[in-house]
């Protein structure tokens, strides 16, 4: 059943002359190359048979390219219930699980890839300070894709030493690294050289990312050699909270810690406080697993026993960079998922806490010093942040003893040179309560001081959750799954519990940082599991319509060869928050303005509002270009009809086009990256 917008009087233009060849006098970009054809072509169809099923793969490998840490996992299509997480990484930090490696990358002074993860960090750290300034070290760079307003293929990143590098190169290097690691492991396991063509790759991205960021990831994958442009179906871009959602439904109860029932099914007594029960349980799990090289987990056990048709649940994916909220509903018998409310969230990941710590340091030692120190002693700065990271993980609501953070020697030394007095003096003078200097050369933070660093970020998340739970689509939520690395924070867990007041059960999977990775593998094995999504934006193109007195504003009138046209009309393809089924196609027909035209270029506009009448309205922005390559399909028909099919129900928007008179396929692509 399609509740589509075409019934609401969205008038399609009649046959048109080449009026579009002239830009309109009104404020407009005047789309020269297209004339939409008759209004009969607006019906939307769910022709799932038109979507090519693509080749079969031997193995699915998912890459969770995180802001703070990354990893991969895989499953053979012949034994889908066996998900392998990659081998333990060398050089892990004490007290931090090493099934993912830090998202850090090191390039040599001449910008060649050197190393990734712990290896990059350790090598960089061991360089002589004079030398390390020449090397390019990058961390936490994924956020740039979320925060850059006009992301393009040429977007830059800054290395620790301040030098600029192309973001696309860095992302491509990282993906190439994972490709090599995974193929090597698969070859070792199967005993022969593993062929990349047998792999379906899945890369996860936040659901709240805009189209350009998703396309950027795909471009990086092409550049890295993960997949080639000719076989785009070999790569799936999966949405992080969706992946988590797919995995969470498959959890057995003993793989979860349920905060609501205050008992954990892991041999901890119900009287234990939740935080310590969780730590205890995690320790047991970790100890049992360390003996094996492969972490294989059987995910057949289901929450089904608890979930019924129509049940709703929220997945809160708290990562390093973003927090992503998705609301899903179960559709039995196959257990397909339906998205009830468009993905929301924002840049409220655990990075916010690092940022607060940096602000605190600036308050004590001065912004000018911290800025200098980061550039002049980049490796020592990284050290300081690593030291902070492990203390950050020790923060807990009921903690009473202080947290000590090791200040690198070069920090103390450089500060004395810079200011002419000691670090200790600065602390005394700064009147920042809660932070003291300990005689062993450490910053001693009281638990209150640490908790206050968490507060702004956690407040953002709670505010967002509160707003989400007020939406009518989000009533009656049975479970709230808390996933992602930041979900391990007992401060965050407590805040979510306080906010929900028992309205739904809070469930935290074990190995919460690997939830997305495992879910992404399951998604790669069966991408049709999510049947209905919601469009985050309204998409459409700019067209000319016949001018209607009294309906159209006079300033949009364009008279051409005696015909009165209305310019800048926003022709909606799909509206914000509209439900779209997987494989659903929006069909539109166009004709080239000139018979000799080789390429039809159509500008795609988007808006957060559900309805837009004109492309010049506030909030409507040009977000992409649809290119139809019509060369080599010349036809004798008086009006060539090019039928475009756009598919919106997937994680990416796809376009196909057919030359109706010849039946030949026209090359079609939507580009969201060219500004």
């Amino acid at each position: 059943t399609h509740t589509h917008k075409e019934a609401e009087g969205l008038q399609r233009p009649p046959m048109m002359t080449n009026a579009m060849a002239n830009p309109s006098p009104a404020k407009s970009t005047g789309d020269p190359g297209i004339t939409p054809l008759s209004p009969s072509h607006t019906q939307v169809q769910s022709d799932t048979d038109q979507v090519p099923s693509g080749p079969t793969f031997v193995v699915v490998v998912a890459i969770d390219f995180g802001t703070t840490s990354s990893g991969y996992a895989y499953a053979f299509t012949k034994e889908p219930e066996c998900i392998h997480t990659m081998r333990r990484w060398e050089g892990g930090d004490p007290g931090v699980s090493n099934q993912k490696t830090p998202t850090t990358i090191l390039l040599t002074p001449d910008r060649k890839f050197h190393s990734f993860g712990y290896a990059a960090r350790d090598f960089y750290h061991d360089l002589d300070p004079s030398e390390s300034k020449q090397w390019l070290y990058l961390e936490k760079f994924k956020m740039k894709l979320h925060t850059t307003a006009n992301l393009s293929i040429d977007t830059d990143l800054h290395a620790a030493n301040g030098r600029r590098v192309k973001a696309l190169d860095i992302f491509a290097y990282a993906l190439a690294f994972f490709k090599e690691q995974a193929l090597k492991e698969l070859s070792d396991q199967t005993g022969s050289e593993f062929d990349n063509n047998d792999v379906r790759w899945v890369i996860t991205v936040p659901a709240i990312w805009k189209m350009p960021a998703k396309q950027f990831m795909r471009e990086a994958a092409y550049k890295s050699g993960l997949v080639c442009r000719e076989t785009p179906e070999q790569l799936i871009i999966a949405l992080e909270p969706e992946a988590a959602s797919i995995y969470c439904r498959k959890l057995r109860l003993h793989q979860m810690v349920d905060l609501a029932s205050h008992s954990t099914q892991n041999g901890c007594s119900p009287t234990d406080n939740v935080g310590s029960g969780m730590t205890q349980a995690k320790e047991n799990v970790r100890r049992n697993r360390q003996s094996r090289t492969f972490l294989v987990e059987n995910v057949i056990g289901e929450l089904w026993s608890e979930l019924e048709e129509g049940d709703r649940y929220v997945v809160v994916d708290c990562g390093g960079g973003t927090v992503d909220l998705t609301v899903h509903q179960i559709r039995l018998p196959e257990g397909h998922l339906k998205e009830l409310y468009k993905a929301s969230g924002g840049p409220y990941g655990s990075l916010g806490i690092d940022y607060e710590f940096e602000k605190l340091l600036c308050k004590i030692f001065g912004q000018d010093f911290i800025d200098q120190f980061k550039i002049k002693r980049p490796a020592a700065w990284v050290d300081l942040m690593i030291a902070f990271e492990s203390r950050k993980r020790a923060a807990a609501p009921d903690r009473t003893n202080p947290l000590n953070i090791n200040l690198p020697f070069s920090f103390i030394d450089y500060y004395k040179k810079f200011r002419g007095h000691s670090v200790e003096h600065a602390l005394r003078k700064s009147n920042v309560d809660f932070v003291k200097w300990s005689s062993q050369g450490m910053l001693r933070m009281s638990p209150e001081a640490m908790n206050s660093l968490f507060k702004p970020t956690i407040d953002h998340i709670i505010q967002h959750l509160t707003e989400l739970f007020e939406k009518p689509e989000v009533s009656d939520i049975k479970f709230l799954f808390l996933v992602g690395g930041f979900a391990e924070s007992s401060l965050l867990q407590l805040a979510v519990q306080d906010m929900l007041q028992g309205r739904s059960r809070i469930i935290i999977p074990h190995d919460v940082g690997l939830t997305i990775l495992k879910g992404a593998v399951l998604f790669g094995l069966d991408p049709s599991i999510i049947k209905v999504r919601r469009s985050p934006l309204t998409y459409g193109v700019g067209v000319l319509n016949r001018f209607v007195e009294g309906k159209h504003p006079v300033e949009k009138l364009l008279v051409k060869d005696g015909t009165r046209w209305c310019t800048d009309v926003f022709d909606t393809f799909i509206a914000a928050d509209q439900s779209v089924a997987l494989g659903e196609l929006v069909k539109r027909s166009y004709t080239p303005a000139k018979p000799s035209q080789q390429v039809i270029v159509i500008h795609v506009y988007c808006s957060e509002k559900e309805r837009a009448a004109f492309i010049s309205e506030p909030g409507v922005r040009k977000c992409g270009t649809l290119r139809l390559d019509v060369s080599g399909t010349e036809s004798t028909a008086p009006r060539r009809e090019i039928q475009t099919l756009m598919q919106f129900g997937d994680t990416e928007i796809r376009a196909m086009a057919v030359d109706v008179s010849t039946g030949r396929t026209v090359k079609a692509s939507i580009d969201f990256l060219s500004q």
Side-chain angles (χ1 to χ4, degrees):
T1 57
H2 295 304
T3 50
H4 283 292
K5 297 280 183 255
E6 70 246 21
E8 294 171 21
L10 209 162
Q11 213 24 69
R12 295 305 312 267
M15 288 290 238
M16 292 170 28
T17 56
N18 63 352
M20 285 219 156
N22 283 31
S24 72
K27 187 184 91 185
S28 139
T29 46
D31 293 353
I34 60 158
T35 342
L37 284 162
S38 61
S40 60
H41 292 292
T42 57
Q43 80 279 20
V44 176
Q45 300 186 326
S46 268
D47 303 342
T48 9
D49 52 68
Q50 293 211 3
V51 184
S53 57
T56 48
F57 299 101
V58 179
V59 70
V60 170
V61 182
I63 299 174
D64 176 5
F65 193 139
T67 304
T68 41
S69 61
S70 297
Y72 66 89
Y74 60 94
F76 291 97
T77 44
K78 287 218 177 11
E79 27 169 18
E81 64 289 342
C82 245
I83 299 177
H84 305 257
T85 4
M86 71 258 146
R87 302 187 178 134
R88 302 183 67 76
W89 297 90
E90 301 304 307
D93 293 343
V96 178
S97 159
N98 311 333
Q99 286 160 22
K100 286 165 82 182
T101 191
T103 308
T104 51
I105 194 164
L106 183 63
L107 309 187
T108 62
D110 58 355
R111 297 170 180 262
K112 296 275 182 294
F113 175 79
H114 179 273
S115 47
F116 188 91
Y118 289 118
R121 228 165 66 174
D122 296 345
F123 187 91
Y124 182 59
H125 183 225
D126 294 340
L127 288 168
D128 187 69
S130 60
E131 224 186 332
S132 68
K133 279 189 227 137
Q134 305 308 311
W135 288 66
L136 291 98
Y137 179 81
L138 292 102
E139 58 178 357
K140 299 172 186 158
F141 47 84
K142 177 180 164 194
M143 270 309 275
K144 184 81 184 210
L145 297 198
H146 180 72
T147 53
T148 304
N150 47 359
L151 186 68
S152 80
I153 289 295
D154 300 317
T155 297
D156 280 337
L157 298 172
H158 290 274
N161 62 2
R163 278 168 60 191
R164 295 155 81 94
V165 279
K166 286 260 173 289
L168 193 69
D169 293 348
I170 298 301
F171 281 82
Y173 278 144
L175 292 173
F177 167 79
F178 280 112
K179 172 188 172 184
E180 191 192 349
Q181 293 285 320
L183 288 177
K184 185 166 173 295
E185 183 167 335
L186 288 165
S187 301
D188 288 354
Q189 218 191 338
T190 51
S192 63
E193 191 68 19
F194 205 88
D195 183 357
N196 191 37
N197 294 329
D198 290 336
V199 181
R200 161 167 267 167
W201 295 96
V202 181
I203 300 176
T204 60
V205 304
I208 52 175
W209 268 14
K210 304 272 188 285
M211 279 298 164
K214 292 176 188 168
Q215 187 188 332
F216 188 93
M217 249 336 177
R218 184 169 277 283
E219 292 296 331
Y222 292 148
K223 183 162 184 157
S224 69
L226 200 67
V227 295
C228 9
R229 252 176 231 288
E230 289 64 56
T231 53
E233 65 285 346
Q234 198 187 344
L235 168 68
I236 297 178
I237 302 282
L239 308 180
E240 286 159 12
E242 280 192 0
S245 180
I246 292 165
Y247 179 68
C248 284
R249 303 171 325 148
K250 290 194 162 292
L251 292 166
R252 282 213 200 89
L253 281 172
H254 71 71
Q255 295 171 335
M256 304 184 296
V257 175
D258 183 344
L259 288 186
S261 67
H262 276 273
S263 66
T264 53
Q265 288 81 359
N266 302 36
C268 300
S269 73
T271 53
D272 279 356
N273 111 11
V274 177
S276 70
M278 176 107 179
T279 328
Q280 181 73 46
K282 285 212 309 251
E283 262 320 295
N284 292 343
V285 172
R286 199 170 289 151
R287 239 177 263 131
N288 299 345
R289 290 183 166 185
Q290 247 154 355
S291 52
R292 296 176 292 178
T293 341
F294 290 103
L295 304 167
V296 174
E297 185 168 316
N298 191 328
V299 288
I300 297 237
E302 309 280 347
L303 259 178
W304 279 157
S305 54
E306 303 245 347
L307 285 168
E308 293 145 27
E309 165 78 48
D311 269 354
R312 303 160 167 217
Y313 58 91
V314 172
V315 175
V316 182
D317 169 16
C318 310
T322 46
V323 168
D324 233 352
L325 300 102
T326 312
V327 188
H328 279 160
Q329 186 173 37
I330 296 272
R331 313 292 295 276
L332 297 175
E334 303 92 343
H336 290 136
L337 299 183
K338 174 182 180 177
E339 187 180 5
L340 289 181
Y341 185 73
K342 61 174 187 267
S344 63
Y348 319 132
S350 56
L351 274 187
I353 301 156
D354 301 357
Y355 178 64
E356 290 297 319
F357 177 61
E358 196 178 314
K359 280 200 328 209
L360 178 71
L361 292 175
C362 289
K363 203 164 151 189
I364 300 170
F365 302 109
Q367 175 101 42
D368 54 345
F369 167 71
I370 297 295
D371 290 347
Q372 263 319 95
F373 181 71
K374 280 161 106 175
I375 295 289
K376 290 281 191 290
R377 301 278 185 278
W381 174 255
V382 170
D383 263 8
L384 176 55
M385 290 317 278
I386 291 169
F388 173 68
E389 179 68 33
S390 75
R391 301 328 298 143
K392 179 169 100 180
R393 288 167 185 267
D398 47 6
R399 191 181 170 103
T400 49
N401 49 340
L403 296 123
N404 291 325
I405 295 161
N406 226 334
L407 277 184
F409 171 71
S410 70
F411 185 97
I412 299 168
D413 184 49
Y414 192 67
Y415 184 76
K416 193 150 179 65
K417 284 192 185 120
F418 189 89
R419 282 268 190 265
H421 58 237
S422 70
V423 162
E424 199 177 345
H425 176 82
L427 273 163
R428 270 207 307 276
K429 196 172 96 259
S430 72
N431 66 36
V432 171
D433 299 342
F434 309 137
V435 184
K436 301 277 176 271
W437 176 249
S438 83
S439 51
Q440 297 89 34
M442 301 214 183
L443 278 185
R444 173 166 288 179
M445 288 181 80
S446 69
E448 297 82 28
M450 180 58 96
N451 295 2
S452 72
L453 298 182
F454 277 76
K455 192 175 171 0
T457 303
I458 289 180
D459 286 352
H460 268 305
I461 296 171
I462 296 302
Q463 187 194 345
H464 211 98
L465 267 174
T466 309
E467 286 167 13
L468 184 71
F469 270 77
E470 281 165 2
K471 301 270 187 273
E473 302 91 333
V474 191
S475 56
D476 205 21
I477 297 292
K478 194 155 189 176
F479 295 110
L480 181 143
F481 290 104
L482 210 47
V483 304
F486 190 23
E488 289 187 10
S489 160
S490 48
L491 290 165
L492 177 62
Q493 292 169 10
L494 188 69
V496 173
Q497 250 178 308
D498 288 348
M499 179 235 129
L500 280 177
Q501 301 276 303
R503 274 183 292 176
S504 58
R505 286 171 63 190
I506 303 173
I507 292 184
I508 303 171
H510 276 314
D511 274 341
V512 69
L514 297 179
T515 308
I516 290 160
L517 207 39
K518 292 171 180 171
V521 173
L522 295 170
F523 183 60
L525 291 165
D526 177 16
S528 65
I529 193 156
I530 301 213
K531 278 283 186 262
V532 179
R533 288 190 174 82
R534 301 235 164 204
S535 175
L537 298 167
T538 297
Y539 288 99
V541 297
V543 298
L544 288 176
N545 269 357
R546 284 287 173 101
F547 192 85
V548 181
E549 284 303 336
K551 178 185 164 198
H552 290 141
V554 175
E555 64 273 14
K556 298 281 184 198
L557 173 64
L558 170 70
V559 181
K560 178 92 180 121
D561 299 335
T563 308
R564 294 156 64 84
W565 299 104
C566 177
T567 63
D568 292 351
V569 175
F570 186 101
D571 184 12
T572 306
F573 281 174
I574 194 155
D577 217 15
Q578 182 177 328
S579 287
V580 204
L582 186 69
E584 196 164 305
L585 297 167
V586 177
K587 284 192 188 181
R588 291 291 150 92
S589 294
Y590 299 106
T591 179
K594 296 197 241 3
S596 60
Q597 220 167 298
Q598 301 291 300
V599 176
I600 304 180
V601 175
I602 301 168
H603 295 302
V604 180
Y605 295 88
C606 65
S607 167
E608 290 185 5
K609 295 205 290 265
E610 267 181 60
R611 283 193 186 76
F614 298 102
I615 60 176
S616 51
E617 279 175 27
V620 174
R621 57 180 206 279
K622 185 178 147 194
C623 63
T625 337
L626 173 64
R627 286 177 67 85
L628 304 174
D629 183 345
V630 294
S631 57
T633 55
E634 279 73 28
S635 96
T636 49
R639 306 277 288 158
R640 273 172 73 195
E641 181 183 344
I642 307 290
Q643 192 176 63
T644 62
L645 305 166
M646 263 178 258
Q647 210 180 348
F648 287 91
D650 213 336
T651 57
E652 295 173 276
I653 296 176
R654 283 205 290 268
M656 297 158 275
V658 182
D659 187 331
V660 177
S661 61
T662 62
R664 260 188 305 211
T665 313
V666 172
K667 275 233 279 299
S669 63
I670 300 189
D671 182 9
F672 291 102
L673 283 170
S674 58
Q675 285 309 310

